[in-house]
Amino acid sequence: MTSNLGLPPKPTLGSIRPFTPNGRERFSLDNGMQVSMFELGSAPLVYLRLVIQTQPSADANLSWIEKYVAEYMGEGTTDLDADLFAEAFAAIGGQLHIFADDTSTNFSATVPSEFMVEALNLVSMAALRPEFPESEAERLQTNLLRELDLSKDQPQVNAAEGFRKALYGSSHPFGRLLPRRENLLDFTPEIAASYSKAHHVSNRAHLYISGQFDRSLVKGAVEKNFASWVQGSSSSSSLSAASPSHQTVLFDRPGAEQSTIYWGLPISHPGDASWIGLEVLNALLGGSFHSRITLNIREDKGYTYSPRSMMTARAEDGIWLQVADVTTDVTAPALSEIFKEIMSAREAAPTTDELEAIKQYMIGSFVREMSESGSRMGHFMFSDRHNLSDSEDALYIDRVQGILPEDLRMLAEQFIDPNRMTLSVVGDAQKIKDELEKLEILASVEIAV
Amino acid sequence: MTSTPSFAFDLPVTRHTLSNGLRVLLHHDNSSPVVCVSVYYHVGMRSEPRGRTGFAHLFEHLMFQGSGQMGKMELVGQVQSVGGTLNGSTRFDFTNYWEVVPSHALDLALWMEADRMRGLDISEVELENQRDVVKNEIRVNVLNRPYGTFPWLDVQERAFDNWQNSHNGYGDMVDLDSATLEDAQDFFNRYYSPKNAVLCVAGDFDEVTALQSIESYFSDIPAMSPPERPDITEEPQLSERVYSKVDPLASRPALALAYRTPERGSSDYYALGLLNGILTVGDDSLLRKELVRKKGFTSSVSGSMNFLGHMHNAETPLLLTLSLIHDDKVDPGSIIREIDEIILSLHASSIDPDLLVRAKTKVRSGLYGLLSGSGYPRFGISDLLCSFELLEGDASLASSIPQRFDAIEIADLNRVAKEYLAPSNRTVIKLEAGAK
């Protein structure tokens, strides 16, 4: 089927060119608001992201409150109502995305560079002077209920929900991915306004600016628009970290063609000496296309299309997780293969060749991450959230290079212990429960309700 | 009324053609030490024959399973081991493969693409394996997911009469099961030849050295006659089509209105692109204002001219599809009436001129965004250049996109709204929620 006549031998390459990304310029306003900026990219665009740290409520009944508030903040400001605000943003080529996760409220926009000053003005209106109009309350509540129903239909959401509940417990705010319907009905514009007043304060805010822009114009516009922002209490979390829990939770989805697998456990956290090594281990195990688990359950067995492992981090903890949607009748074999790969990483160090390849992949990924405005901004946000110094960036490549084969084996042994792992599966219980029960590596199967 | 800001959108590209017909595009940008190598073959879901639905996509998977000098997945391993990343995708009119690598590895990426352009070396084992992988892709993206076929597959199946446009390009499971190694060989021979491909190098590289490498790796691949292009023309649609379907996994009803588009490259096509911006893009869009904020029928309204990309990287016919998920208590008929009223307002010469100015500014911002990439540095620009080379015959025409939008006036919007956003030119899908 091939004709190789004429193809010269495979080229030999030099080594990767030394790469030290330019740093960012940081400054803060008198009210404590932080600003970071760096120029990058060839398109005349400016990327703006305002991140406000919020304190997760210990009250699990307030699940999704941060999402409700973020939605409400898009309903107009005391300067401009929602329609006029939207038109003003569109006139400069953008729209303001306001969204929240467990620990932050975010304002994000990308506009052509010459509109940077106008964009900062509009972002400040939305963040500092939201209106929370009573007239929109019922509609926003209906939107949340609709979103809740649509989320519940997704097998991946159900699997993630089961996983989090097992790790944190249902009374912990991180243990509940989806709120109770009745809790959403309790949300009011007054609750939203009071949440915003308490959390959206200058000393919790960090504005990131990248792309093409004029630094002196940025400084003037930031001072003008954000200097009046009032300070408040700083955010701090007293929430407990995830606890490892050897559980198997099965969420029944009758007739499902695939089983959705979430299988993982708490590991260390960013800033810990183990973290970079764990990132390399993750890429080798399941976190890259050429990883062991992917080569096994996709490229050898054909059980699944998009298996992947990942690491997530919060201030309190970090999690390693393998996910996959596998054909229903191979659910148990797929889990057995993942187990084998984990055990293999714990029992034997990788060969030098395999380790070198994955190290180069990590270094190249770092270069790519630093080569685009959005991903580099995400990198700085991650560093700030976890109190990592920018000086770490210059050391990253050397740190990856310094990892030895035995280091990875020890990290796998220390952190990825199948006897401490939580498995959450969404699938057709009638077809898979008995098979799961037979797998000795798993804890006894509980049916999720 | 604000004035239209001027566009600055220059995509410098050097074009070459090798003696075997392979077109080569070079775009230089040394702002970071990475380079993107992409190969676009002019064969997509629309090209596959009856009885072999999903074959173009299955074949894309086979391209990673081994060639003359590389074993199964070796290409992936090689790219990763030099710090790169890669992917491939099957679209309506082309199939693309790309690697983003640190610039020192440019030659390796070129060499690997040249190797697989010479032919695959796979057996039944690899075919079986990727058949299973593709079936699992269809399960996770379509069969095991609410709204899995909505609106893409649902509208194209009903809005088009020409099988090349209307069939399910993801593939029927029976067709996937019957695909053979012989089919793969035939498909390769027909479509995967230099004359039917475009190679683009974008990023940090030396042009003279890169061209030498390209000559050395690609120029002796035998030239073959380019395949006949499939006939994708459609008979004119004369009346509205309305369909209902039940989605057993969905818990809320949904609605899609799909309008056939004007011809790619025409002034009307760009006017429709701006109308889509006015109707669905951004918080100021008219459908969001009316259906989301004022009436509360839905949380969002989507507008798409190409479910597998955007309006610049597909051939026509396409569909401008407006879609939304709504609540049980809302009658889809009342939503359609609201949409029709808004479209009717765009027939009038007295429409707010700021609507057009804002739409042009949003388009410009969106174009810059396309260039900025999304995890694959320099891929966005490569995609635009390759698409224009394949679909309009000249990559440098990509730089003219802003002028094409800029030339649109209110009278054009009026005309295109009347002619194309008419009920007689659309297909309506009412999805009923079956998961209760």
Side-chain angles (χ1 to χ4, degrees), chain A residues 1 75 146 149 153 253, chain B residues 144 185 251-252 293 299:
Chain A
M1 200 163 173
E75 294 300 328
R146 189 184 300 120
D149 283 350
D153 292 341
R253 195 161 186 263
Chain B
N144 198 37
Q185 182 67 67
S251 62
R252 300 276 175 144
R293 298 206 66 258
S299 305

Side-chain angles (χ1 to χ4, degrees), chain A residues 153-225:
Chain A
D153 292 341
Q154 303 284 345
Q156 294 80 10
V157 172
N158 296 316
E161 167 96 343
F163 185 74
R164 298 234 296 204
K165 199 184 279 185
L167 251 56
Y168 291 98
S170 54
S171 60
H172 193 294
F174 299 158
R176 187 173 296 165
L177 197 59
L178 301 176
R180 290 195 196 99
R181 201 176 172 81
E182 58 268 29
N183 291 146
L184 294 180
L185 297 173
D186 290 338
F187 292 169
T188 64
E190 291 74 29
I191 290 176
S194 118
Y195 180 98
S196 177
K197 196 173 173 193
H199 291 262
H200 299 153
V201 292
S202 60
N203 47 319
R204 293 186 184 190
H206 197 140
L207 175 66
Y208 298 85
I209 301 170
S210 72
Q212 294 184 1
F213 57 88
D214 179 316
R215 289 189 182 198
S216 61
L217 275 181
V218 166
K219 286 178 181 168
V222 169
E223 184 71 37
K224 180 176 168 216
N225 290 299

Side-chain angles (χ1 to χ4, degrees), chain A residues 69 111 142 176 233 235 248 278 286 318 351 366 375 385 403 413:
Chain A
V69 174
V111 297
T142 305
R176 187 173 296 165
S233 65
S235 65
T248 300
L278 282 166
T351 64
F366 177 72
S375 53
R385 183 173 277 204
I403 291 168
E413 187 173 25

Side-chain angles (χ1 to χ4, degrees), chain A residues 344-362:
Chain A
S344 161
R346 288 164 58 87
E347 284 158 8
T351 64
T352 311
D353 282 353
E354 187 185 17
L355 179 62
E356 277 313 306
I358 211 72
K359 278 158 56 168
Q360 288 301 312
Y361 172 68
M362 296 304 291

Side-chain angles (χ1 to χ4, degrees), chain A residues 1-11 13-17 19 42-45 47 75 82-83 86-87 90-96 110-112 114-115 136 139 142-143 145-146 149-150 153-156 181 253 256-258 260 288-291 295 298-306 325-327 356-358 360-361 364-365 367-368 371-372, chain B residues 5 29 31-34 61 65 67-69 72-73 76-78 80-86 100 102-105 107-108 111 114-115 118-121 129-130 132-133 136-137 139-141 143-144 146-147 184-185 204 216-217 220 249-252 282-284 289 292-293 296-299 325 327 358 361-362 364-365 368-369 372-377:
Chain A
M1 200 163 173
T2 59
S3 85
N4 295 306
L5 289 175
L7 182 64
K10 189 162 91 172
L13 306 182
S15 51
I16 197 162
R17 203 179 295 171
F19 176 72
S42 20
L45 283 177
Y47 297 75
E75 294 300 328
D83 285 343
E87 285 172 14
I92 60 171
Q95 68 182 113
L96 185 60
T110 304
V111 297
E114 72 261 33
F115 297 127
E136 309 307 315
R139 177 172 62 81
T142 305
N143 284 356
L145 293 170
R146 189 184 300 120
D149 283 350
L150 295 176
D153 292 341
Q154 303 284 345
Q156 294 80 10
R181 201 176 172 81
R253 195 161 186 263
E257 298 226 4
Q258 287 178 317
T260 303
S288 67
F289 195 2
H290 207 256
S291 62
L295 287 179
R298 174 184 150 128
E299 290 297 318
D300 187 45
K301 311 288 190 313
Y303 292 161
T304 177
Y305 165 65
S306 51
D325 293 87
V326 304
T327 314
E356 277 313 306
I358 211 72
Q360 288 301 312
Y361 172 68
S365 301
V367 173
R368 281 196 309 281
S371 299
E372 289 193 321
Chain B
D29 175 354
S31 61
S32 56
V34 294
H61 279 244
Q65 296 295 305
S67 46
Q69 301 295 310
K72 174 185 166 89
M73 287 294 279
V76 176
Q78 290 281 336
Q80 283 198 191
S81 71
V82 297
T85 185
L86 79 170
V100 179
S103 26
H104 78 290
D107 268 14
L108 176 69
W111 182 87
D115 187 46
R118 283 171 156 77
L120 297 187
D121 185 6
N129 167 250
Q130 290 305 306
D132 285 342
V133 172
N136 270 309
E137 180 176 351
R139 289 185 188 108
V140 73
N141 288 339
L143 302 177
N144 198 37
Y147 313 101
Q185 182 67 67
D204 177 30
S216 137
Y217 298 143
D220 68 335
L249 298 180
S251 62
R252 300 276 175 144
D283 290 340
D284 71 318
K289 225 180 205 175
V292 177
R293 298 206 66 258
F297 288 161
T298 178
S299 305
I325 294 172
D327 296 335
R358 288 203 302 268
T361 308
K362 286 189 283 189
R364 176 184 168 216
S365 189
Y368 292 148
S372 309
S374 52
Y376 295 108

Side-chain angles (χ1 to χ4, degrees), chain B residues 362-433:
Chain B
K362 286 189 283 189
V363 155
R364 176 184 168 216
S365 189
L367 281 172
Y368 292 148
L370 281 183
L371 303 189
S372 309
S374 52
Y376 295 108
R378 316 290 168 260
F379 175 67
I381 195 162
S382 306
D383 181 60
L384 270 187
L385 293 173
C386 290
S387 298
F388 272 79
E389 185 68 34
L390 276 185
L391 305 176
E392 298 196 12
D394 184 353
S396 60
L397 290 174
S399 291
S400 70
I401 298 173
Q403 285 78 32
R404 299 186 192 190
F405 280 117
D406 234 8
I408 304 301
E409 296 175 358
I410 285 181
D412 300 311
L413 296 185
N414 297 151
R415 184 186 67 253
V416 172
K418 266 183 216 166
E419 187 175 343
Y420 291 94
L421 299 182
S424 59
N425 190 45
R426 78 182 168 204
T427 300
V428 176
I429 310 278
K430 296 174 184 171
L431 180 146
E432 294 166 24

Side-chain angles (χ1 to χ4, degrees), chain B residues 256-274:
Chain B
L257 278 62
Y259 299 86
R260 289 200 188 171
T261 67
E263 194 177 342
R264 178 188 171 98
S266 66
S267 167
D268 285 3
Y269 188 65
Y270 286 88
L272 190 71
L274 288 170

